[in-house]
Every structure is written in structure tokens, then in C-alpha cells.
Amino acid sequence: SQLAEENSWALSVHEGESVTVNCSYKTSITALQWYRQKSGKGPAQLILIRSNEREKRNGRLRATLDTSSQSSSLSITATRCEDTAVYFCATDADTGYQNFYFGKGTSLTVIP
Amino acid sequence: DPKIIQKPKYLVAVTGSEKILICEQYLGHNAMYWYRQSAKKPLEFMFSYSYQKLMDNQTASSRFQPQSSKKNHLDLQITALKPDDSATYFCASSQDRGAERLFFGHGTKLSVL
């Protein structure tokens, strides 16, 4: 069964707007990670947020974590065309980063 | 300049044949992994290796056999190929098993006819 899942299959925004991708997960975790995959490339890590953290920022990206509801969000402000990609959340399912379990991903299109 | 090299980028095979997917990493990492990405499915963990030893296998089929000839190599041999094996196979690495970040290659897209 899927241990992490993004809540939207696809989103589109106009350049400059903000967007939020949501994720829910099913087990306790050491940390939750957000990855981005551009077309034809492998996923690349954006942000890691540990189970004892509530918020993490990386430039225009902001991740939140709510362990009580087992959910996370990734917000992107001032979107750019190059943000067009598939965004994944991934958890380690409390294995101490031994294994990573990814959601199916949310496809984000930023319209010029 | 990619630090994780996967070869080939695209691969077409016939049902029943055998193929080897190549992966080399030049990040100096000690742990390597294989993941599979099928259409409309999550990125699926397959194998993890640490210092050339198999640590975890979550692939049900014995048709998938990883092979590590060097610390920075982790190839994936797939035998008796089936159309359902069609997917993009990603090699990944991390500094050590249990590291917080995975680094992925660009993938090998396998199509089985």
C-alpha cells in the first residue's frame, strides 16, 4: 500500500502566482522530503523536514509538517516557468532513512 | 555534468529476453539503490546496497538481479522480460545507507514489446 500520497494529480498556475502541493502519509516518520522531477530527469531533493520540525524554508519554497494529521505541504511563491515539474513527497516510514517511499506525484504546470 | 550515469537512456526489448541496466556513480557514495517508475504509479523502491552488499530487496520477482562489481557500480539484470516490466528505472545513491538525501540518475526507460 502507498505510504505517502500527494493530494492532487495536477495543478496549473500562472507565472508569479503561488501554489501549494499537499501530501498525506500513513506511518510514523523520521522525516518527510519533497522532491522535484523535471521531464526526462531523475528526482532531485528540494526540502527535508524532520518529524520534530513544523516548517522549513528553502528560498521560494516552504514546507510544513503536521504529524498529528500526518500531512505536509509544499508552497512555492513567485512561481517561474522552470518550476514546471512533478513534485513528490517521500517518507522513510520511520526506518531512519533506510528506505524512501514516494507518492505518485503532483504535476505542476506554470503558465507564462 | 551528471554524477550518476545510467546506460542506456532508452532500451527496447522483446518479451522473454534479458537486459542489463548500467549504473555508475561518481559522488563517492557508499550506498546505491534501484527504483522503478511506471506510468501512474509511485516511484517504487526495489533494492538497496551498501558497500556492495545487498541490504534490502523489495522486489518480489527473482527476475530482477542487481550486480555490483565495484563500489560505485550497481547494474540491474532483468531476465525473462515481460511487457509489465516496461518502466523507467532509476539508479540512486546516498553518502551512506541512512543518509538523508538520495541523488538520482536520469533513468533508463525500458519498453518491453
Side-chain angles (χ1 to χ4, degrees):
Chain A
S1 64
Q2 201 170 328
L3 299 182
E5 187 171 14
E6 297 81 7
N7 296 356
S8 299
W9 173 245
L11 295 170
S12 62
V13 295
H14 287 93
E15 197 171 20
E17 294 178 339
S18 297
V19 66
T20 297
V21 181
N22 294 299
C23 167
S24 56
Y25 58 91
K26 292 183 178 178
T27 68
S28 58
I29 60 173
T30 308
L32 184 138
Q33 303 184 35
W34 285 95
Y35 282 77
R36 175 174 64 191
Q37 184 179 22
K38 295 193 174 184
S39 180
K41 302 286 179 65
Q45 191 195 68
L46 297 174
I47 287 184
L48 177 149
I49 183 165
R50 296 182 179 82
S51 59
N52 63 349
E53 297 175 319
R54 292 296 166 258
E55 180 180 303
K56 201 78 165 285
R57 292 178 183 268
N58 180 7
R60 295 182 295 112
L61 308 176
R62 173 179 170 260
T64 65
L65 181 66
D66 184 341
T67 52
S68 62
S69 63
Q70 296 189 314
S71 64
S72 175
S73 69
L74 176 71
S75 297
I76 308 173
T77 57
T79 54
R80 303 168 182 168
C81 289
E82 54 262 38
D83 294 327
T84 294
V86 179
Y87 290 80
F88 298 93
C89 62
T91 75
D92 74 320
D94 213 12
T95 62
Y97 309 112
Q98 299 294 310
N99 296 321
F100 293 86
Y101 299 91
F102 287 76
K104 292 182 183 180
T106 293
S107 177
L108 173 66
T109 301
V110 180
I111 304 164
Chain B
D1 185 23
K3 300 297 185 185
I4 300 180
I5 298 172
Q6 290 189 244
K7 299 176 185 175
K9 190 165 185 178
Y10 301 98
L11 188 56
V12 179
V14 296
T15 297
S17 66
E18 171 183 316
K19 292 294 180 185
I20 296 179
L21 282 54
I22 305 294
C23 177
E24 304 171 306
Q25 57 92 2
Y26 295 95
L27 294 165
H29 289 169
N30 299 313
M32 295 185 71
Y33 311 80
W34 278 102
Y35 281 79
R36 174 170 54 196
Q37 188 174 46
S38 305
K40 305 209 174 179
K41 289 186 179 179
L43 194 62
E44 177 189 7
F45 170 78
M46 300 179 73
F47 300 98
S48 66
Y49 267 65
S50 179
Y51 292 94
Q52 295 185 262
K53 292 185 180 178
L54 177 66
M55 302 306 293
D56 197 359
N57 175 0
Q58 295 196 9
T59 302
S61 173
S62 60
R63 296 186 299 106
F64 295 83
Q65 290 293 327
Q67 300 169 344
S68 181
S69 59
K70 299 179 188 178
K71 193 181 90 169
N72 69 328
H73 282 232
L74 186 63
D75 300 336
L76 181 64
Q77 180 185 40
I78 313 174
T79 58
L81 279 161
K82 303 177 180 180
D84 278 353
D85 297 332
S86 297
T88 299
Y89 291 82
F90 287 99
C91 175
S93 70
S94 62
Q95 184 61 56
D96 291 290
R97 189 159 177 262
E100 295 179 344
R101 181 175 176 179
L102 290 178
F103 293 79
F104 284 85
H106 287 187
T108 291
K109 185 171 183 179
L110 172 65
S111 298
V112 183
L113 308 176

